[in-house]
Amino acid sequence: MSVDPVVFEAPAATGRYPNMARHDGALWERYLKVSAQAWQGFAYDVRLGGRETVDPNATDTEKYMWRVNTAERIDVVGDRGAEHWVIEIRPNAKLGALGSAIGYVLLAQREPWTALPLVPAVLTDNCSPDFRWVADQLGVQVIIVPEEVPRVL
């Protein structure tokens, strides 16, 4: 089970994406502008794993906070209806982003919070042909969000 219940929000740009870096959030907002309608909802900052405290005198609150602070965090889980996409947001993605997406799916399978199939994915603005090839070999979906083209007024 995830550290906290997984709660999905409407698929819309809100500007509120817990634990998401500013540059990741900007990339995510660009994606939502053109693709939000393809999703049923999103859950943000989904925490999995984490360690248990070894302090035998820890309160329930302290035990919870220990796990929260040591948990792995999925940037976004996208609800597609028949499946959930586990999305790592990484501008200028490198191979480590693939490992994150796969690792989060494995943790979610170990600590199930949904009966739906999980699809690992990386959302980025740029990646190499090697990245795409490795993603294909590993079964990781790659979502490319192009740069916004400045408009001359």
Side-chain angles (χ1 to χ4, degrees):
M1 194 67 165
S2 61
V3 175
D4 295 305
V6 177
V7 178
F8 287 89
E9 300 178 12
T14 64
R16 294 178 292 99
Y17 314 110
N19 204 50
M20 195 179 290
R22 185 178 310 145
H23 55 282
D24 293 1
L27 181 58
W28 180 242
E29 292 249 331
R30 283 201 334 255
Y31 175 72
L32 288 176
K33 284 181 186 176
V34 296
S35 298
Q37 72 284 353
W39 302 87
Q40 293 186 8
F42 297 109
Y44 298 99
D45 194 27
V46 176
R47 296 179 283 222
L48 300 168
R51 294 188 222 153
E52 303 292 331
T53 181
V54 294
D55 181 355
N57 300 316
T59 65
D60 286 343
T61 300
E62 291 169 331
K63 290 176 186 177
Y64 168 75
M65 290 309 300
W66 187 266
R67 188 152 179 234
V68 163
N69 289 324
T70 60
E72 298 296 330
R73 296 166 182 261
I74 300 171
D75 289 333
V76 181
V77 175
D79 181 0
R80 301 273 305 184
E83 60 194 9
H84 286 148
W85 284 37
V86 175
I87 305 170
E88 171 68 7
I89 300 173
R90 192 81 60 94
N92 199 30
K94 304 289 185 217
L95 293 178
L98 299 172
S100 293
I102 291 170
Y104 297 147
V105 166
L106 291 171
L107 286 172
Q109 290 170 342
R110 184 186 73 186
E111 302 174 17
W113 46 267
T114 181
L116 294 177
L118 298 171
V119 177
V122 174
L123 185 137
T124 187
D125 56 353
N126 186 36
C127 64
S128 70
D130 293 334
F131 178 92
R132 289 182 187 204
W133 183 85
V134 172
D136 186 54
Q137 299 305 302
L138 294 172
V140 177
Q141 298 297 312
V142 178
I143 303 166
I144 305 288
V145 181
E147 290 289 327
E148 288 184 317
V149 177
R151 293 174 56 196
V152 178
L153 301 175

